[in-house]
Amino acid sequence: MKTLITSTTSTPEGPFDKRFGRAAWFCVLDEKTGESTFIKNENAEGQSGIGTKTAEKVVELGVGKVISGDFGPKAKKLLDKFGVQMVIINEDLKVIDIINRIKG
Amino acid sequence: MPLKIAVASGKGGTGKTTVSVNLQYFISKSLTDEVLLVDCDVEEPNDRIFFPDSKTTSTLEVTHAIPEIDRNKCLFCRKCVDYCEFNAIVVIPPAHFAEINASLCHSCGACSVACREGAIREKPHPLGKITTVNTGIGEGIVEGRLEVGSAMQTLMIKELKKNVSKHHRDADSDEIILFDAPPGTSCPVVETIADVDYVILVAEPTPFGLNDMTLMVELLVEMGKPFGVVINKAGLGNKEIYSFLKEQEIELLGEIPFNKEYAGKYAEGKLLQNIDPHARRCYSDIVTSIERRLLQDEGINYFKW
Amino acid sequence: MKELTILSGKGGAGKTSVAASIASVAQNAVLCDDDVDAADLHLIFKPEVKEVHRFEGGQVAVIDEEKCTNCGICWSYCRFDAIHTKAGSGFYINAYQCEGCRLCERVCPSKAIHSYRNNNNYWFVSDSRFGPFVHAKMGAGEDNSGKLVATVRQKAREIATETNAEFIINDGPPGIGCPAISSISGVDAVLLVVEPTRSGLHDAQRLVSLTNSFNVPVYGFINKYDINLQVSETIEAFLNKNHIPLLGRWNFDVNIVKAMLEKMSVVEFAPEGETAREVKKVWEQLKSLMLTD
């Protein structure tokens, strides 16, 4: 399964982004291969409706789980609809910390 | 044509509602009984709260056209997504999913133009309600109430104003229409004051009040609207606002003193009961200044009280 | 780093007075004004501006007269009545009425219409006696946006990281739309400032229905509590029912107004008063609640 982690930078050493829609980057981790890829969030700069757009992207990427700080009402509804699991982390962590947690 | 006056303030909490409701009352007593109050604060219309015995005379449901996507016709080409400036459309081709989010949609019609497959059809969607209320004061109140959660404040105000002008367009009328504007200086306020003849700004004599009023003055000057200022809660603050008005040569229409008892009455929704003689005089003065000001204005000299 | 957002719905509930007071008791915090529609916090903070940034607002369409053939197609498509006929001939767009949907631009056969972003808005990074301060000013008739809130919050986070600040305090925007959502997303606590009027209660209800959809702890604060005890009790009962702990209350205190006139927070103006004590109590609670989360 693929897991998406919202990130402030394009490297695993950068801080995890607690915002979902306006996260600057996404780290997509393939749990099978352990490989992680960084994708720029093209929607982060929009004026409105960002949560929905970002949820759309997540579904398109075929991600099964999203890890972020929180999810707005519209994003939540859409992710729910597609059975994407939402995990909320409230700590200030680096992306790599979260990756390591998933890998166990 | 009826005379249109908007009551506005840079921000909520300055007593715009109090002033609107009282002005209607005093205009009906001393100028003309043909005075209508239109509550344009469509997110939080509360003018009618102050008339506990009022009766609703009519209610009109207002809709706006929200597009829907027919997934049987949709090719998931995402052209509508590109056209939508408001991020209201979600199309996920691999999942054969296409949906329009009504609360983000501005009803601009761009997606219908974008779609070549005829997969988008617009359907009426509730926008809000326009309610006419008989309050026993003048011609009563017309209020617009936006559906909770809708972002279409400006559209609701537009519909409300259209409705009002449909019923009040008699060319010979000596009618006065008061528009209680929403707080702030953004689009909904601009929509409210766009076609009025005069704006009454309500401000408090505090640094916040002055700052918020200045923003509103900037907007009115840019829009070229004639306006005057009513200072509410006078005596509560300092003199800064008065020097500003003097410097900028802005007319001070009147002052309403601060009164804690009155604030309590507002909280309870009792506004027009037992108005103390001092406040009564203040409002009468304001009505007189508005009258004088309007008679001076070019183009509305025909207006007879 | 913990982030707090103070919200109140409509203006006039005293949100800015509460925010300024909390800012004056909080140590090691970065302050951020998300309420850019009628930003007032800077009046108390008297910030020393260090950086000025332009900010692009919504789209506005204009017609290029040279290219326009007066066909009127744009006019027939515009749903916002923003396109008007000129006295002689031709069309123009009223920028205040333009919704920025760009449909006119797309349907124009002569490519005579283009949209530009209004950049009459600014955001600032400043120093203040309470700590670093990020704030903004919108041009007349411009709307706040989720993007602007996100921008100032992002900057506040950067500063907080650089300076090792422990807290970020956001003075939140009015309403329940995109700017409010943008100010709640990812914060550690929301403080709801309510005044005991009917519209105050109504506002609180709408805000709670919004915050409920986020996974963020919400706390309540009632301002001008004694102005109407009956409504205050109704508000308390409402908060209680929604599991929102009431952290504090202010009675109507003329010092709050006097402090504002002196461009001070009430904590600075009357440090020994009941009002100031209450703020300290509220901040201590908020701090421990955020830190133990």
Side-chain angles (χ1 to χ4, degrees):
Chain A
M1 188 178 67
K2 279 198 266 187
T3 296
L4 185 145
I5 304 161
T6 49
S7 167
T8 56
T9 68
S10 57
T11 65
E13 288 303 323
F16 155 66
D17 200 327
K18 287 192 201 171
R19 301 164 311 167
F20 172 66
R22 294 197 184 270
W25 292 83
F26 301 135
C27 169
V28 180
L29 173 74
D30 191 325
E31 291 188 26
K32 236 190 279 169
T33 62
E35 246 174 87
S36 56
T37 336
F38 281 83
I39 302 167
K40 195 166 168 44
N41 179 8
E42 307 286 351
N43 299 310
E45 293 292 298
Q47 299 273 349
S48 68
I50 306 311
T52 317
K53 283 310 313 171
T54 306
E56 177 190 66
K57 183 79 191 169
V58 166
V59 176
E60 238 181 78
L61 288 169
V63 164
K65 194 198 283 177
V66 184
I67 300 176
S68 190
D70 212 338
F71 300 87
K74 295 180 195 105
K76 199 175 271 177
K77 208 169 144 198
L78 193 67
L79 292 173
D80 261 339
K81 200 175 239 166
F82 284 92
V84 178
Q85 195 190 346
M86 286 164 268
V87 180
I88 291 169
I89 294 186
N90 249 328
E91 298 157 74
D92 290 314
L93 296 171
K94 287 178 184 164
V95 173
I96 187 77
D97 299 333
I98 299 173
I99 294 176
N100 289 337
R101 264 191 212 183
I102 296 169
K103 287 181 180 167
Chain B
M1 287 287 280
L3 180 79
K4 295 177 189 162
I5 302 174
V7 181
S9 70
K11 205 176 192 177
T14 57
K16 191 172 42 62
T17 300
T18 313
V19 171
S20 305
V21 170
N22 274 291
L23 268 183
Q24 185 193 26
Y25 176 76
F26 283 97
I27 289 174
S28 80
K29 290 286 167 247
S30 62
L31 287 180
T32 168
D33 202 38
E34 285 182 62
V35 53
L36 176 74
L37 178 58
V38 183
D39 196 344
C40 295
D41 190 358
V42 297
E43 277 203 323
E44 302 284 349
N46 54 11
D47 286 354
R48 70 173 297 185
I49 294 178
F50 301 104
F51 303 92
D53 302 324
S54 62
K55 285 189 186 68
T56 301
T57 49
S58 73
T59 306
L60 179 74
E61 306 264 350
V62 191
T63 59
H64 62 140
I66 294 282
E68 274 180 17
I69 302 178
D70 181 346
R71 282 185 226 167
N72 294 320
K73 287 186 184 164
C74 179
L75 300 180
F76 307 97
C77 69
R78 296 185 58 112
K79 191 162 180 210
C80 56
V81 176
D82 291 340
Y83 265 49
C84 180
E85 284 292 315
F86 309 105
N87 286 334
I89 309 180
V90 177
V91 175
I92 306 170
H96 279 228
F97 180 84
E99 195 179 74
I100 292 170
N101 196 323
S103 62
L104 290 171
C105 175
H106 288 221
S107 298
C108 69
C111 55
S112 302
V113 173
C115 185
R116 300 252 163 84
E117 309 305 318
I120 295 181
R121 276 186 40 203
E122 297 189 29
K123 288 190 179 155
H125 195 269
L127 174 65
K129 281 194 186 88
I130 294 174
T131 311
T132 310
V133 185
N134 182 352
T135 58
I137 309 289
E139 295 175 323
I141 293 176
V142 179
E143 69 159 39
R145 185 178 291 272
L146 186 68
E147 285 284 311
V148 173
S150 166
M152 304 303 294
Q153 235 192 101
T154 309
L155 185 64
M156 184 66 214
I157 294 170
K158 194 170 277 184
E159 292 294 331
L160 173 65
K161 294 189 76 177
K162 260 189 216 161
N163 183 277
V164 168
S165 53
K166 204 162 66 192
H167 295 105
H168 301 262
R169 58 155 51 127
D170 183 0
D172 301 324
S173 139
D174 283 354
E175 201 183 358
I176 299 179
I177 303 180
L178 289 174
F179 294 93
D180 184 2
T185 52
S186 56
C187 298
V189 181
V190 173
E191 182 63 41
T192 307
I193 61 182
D195 65 341
V196 300
D197 304 299
Y198 192 70
V199 179
I200 296 172
L201 276 186
V202 183
E204 355 175 296
T206 62
F208 288 9
L210 175 59
N211 181 54
D212 300 344
M213 186 190 74
T214 312
L215 297 173
M216 200 61 206
V217 168
E218 275 174 29
L219 178 68
L220 292 172
V221 169
E222 214 177 296
M223 292 176 77
K225 286 281 164 200
F227 65 95
V229 172
V230 169
I231 295 188
N232 191 25
K233 307 182 193 174
L236 192 64
N238 59 13
K239 294 283 166 207
E240 248 179 277
I241 198 162
Y242 298 94
S243 358
F244 174 82
L245 294 179
K246 215 166 175 182
E247 246 168 59
Q248 303 289 321
E249 295 174 5
I250 295 168
E251 184 173 5
L252 177 62
L253 297 169
E255 296 172 74
I256 300 151
F258 175 74
N259 181 334
K260 193 181 169 190
E261 203 184 309
Y262 201 75
K265 265 196 244 168
Y266 174 87
E268 279 171 42
K270 292 176 193 158
L271 210 56
L272 292 173
Q273 291 161 21
N274 315 315
I275 304 170
D276 66 71
H278 186 57
R280 188 177 286 275
R281 250 195 332 274
C282 298
Y283 278 109
S284 304
D285 288 351
I286 295 168
V287 173
T288 318
S289 342
I290 295 169
E291 180 185 15
R292 199 183 310 124
R293 166 78 221 224
L294 291 174
L295 288 170
Q296 280 169 5
D297 259 353
E298 237 185 4
I300 38 178
N301 285 330
Y302 63 86
F303 192 79
K304 293 183 221 69
W305 297 104
Chain C
M1 175 210 314
K2 297 290 175 185
E3 204 172 347
L4 169 72
T5 293
I6 303 171
L7 286 175
S8 79
K10 164 183 104 102
K15 175 173 59 64
T16 302
S17 292
V18 173
S21 303
I22 289 184
S24 39
V25 294
Q27 302 291 322
N28 199 9
V30 175
L31 297 322
C32 187
D33 197 351
D34 300 350
D35 183 1
V36 298
D37 286 315
D40 281 337
L41 212 50
H42 69 275
L43 295 172
I44 295 180
F45 281 33
K46 288 175 259 175
E48 193 188 307
V49 176
K50 291 192 308 187
E51 289 174 30
V52 181
H53 302 268
R54 262 183 192 273
F55 182 82
E56 292 188 330
Q59 304 259 14
V60 180
V62 286
I63 299 175
D64 180 346
E65 281 175 45
E66 305 271 295
K67 291 185 187 162
C68 177
T69 61
N70 300 339
C71 69
I73 290 178
C74 58
W75 174 84
S76 71
Y77 274 94
C78 178
R79 300 221 179 149
F80 305 98
D81 306 326
I83 303 179
H84 304 268
T85 45
K86 281 188 198 158
S89 72
F91 295 87
Y92 73 96
I93 297 173
N94 180 333
Y96 284 118
Q97 292 171 316
C98 177
E99 191 85 1
C101 72
R102 298 179 67 193
L103 182 57
C104 55
E105 184 184 331
R106 302 187 203 272
V107 296
C108 177
S110 330
K111 296 201 171 8
I113 302 180
H114 75 276
S115 296
Y116 66 97
R117 288 197 180 274
N118 220 326
N119 61 357
N120 196 16
N121 315 300
Y122 300 88
W123 61 275
F124 314 94
V125 180
S126 303
D127 267 336
S128 80
R129 64 187 185 284
F130 304 119
F133 180 42
V134 189
H135 50 125
K137 184 182 187 308
M138 303 298 275
E142 275 276 307
D143 279 322
N144 187 1
S145 66
K147 189 186 170 192
L148 182 55
V149 171
T151 306
V152 290
R153 275 189 59 200
Q154 179 63 33
K155 188 68 199 177
R157 290 185 70 87
E158 280 169 25
I159 296 172
T161 312
E162 281 165 26
T163 60
N164 267 324
E166 214 175 341
F167 301 101
I168 295 173
I169 298 165
N170 291 294
D171 186 9
I176 54 167
C178 196
I181 290 176
S182 196
S183 80
I184 299 171
S185 161
V187 301
D188 301 283
V190 169
L191 183 69
L192 211 58
V193 178
V194 194
E195 64 165 4
T197 62
R198 292 206 193 184
S199 53
L201 173 64
H202 187 189
D203 263 4
Q205 289 165 336
R206 285 153 44 96
L207 262 178
V208 168
S209 66
L210 175 68
T211 52
N212 272 346
S213 59
F214 284 89
N215 183 48
V216 56
V218 180
Y219 306 103
F221 184 91
I222 302 181
N223 188 18
K224 305 179 206 160
Y225 191 92
D226 59 345
I227 225 166
N228 190 314
L229 292 174
Q230 210 186 333
V231 182
S232 286
E233 279 160 22
T234 314
I235 291 171
E236 268 195 87
F238 166 76
L239 293 177
N240 210 348
K241 207 180 98 201
N242 284 276
H243 312 289
I244 296 172
L246 182 66
L247 296 191
R249 57 173 84 155
W250 274 353
N251 282 332
F252 180 84
D253 179 356
V254 77
N255 280 336
I256 297 172
V257 183
K258 285 187 182 158
M260 196 206 297
L261 292 175
E262 295 300 322
K263 301 190 169 101
M264 291 162 100
S265 79
V266 70
V267 177
E268 294 173 297
F269 183 78
E272 301 306 323
E274 178 59 35
T275 305
R277 266 209 302 281
E278 188 73 4
V279 173
K280 286 174 197 154
K281 189 188 95 187
V282 169
W283 175 243
E284 285 309 317
Q285 290 180 77
L286 273 172
K287 231 163 75 176
S288 62
L289 286 162
M290 284 196 286
L291 292 171
T292 51
D293 255 348

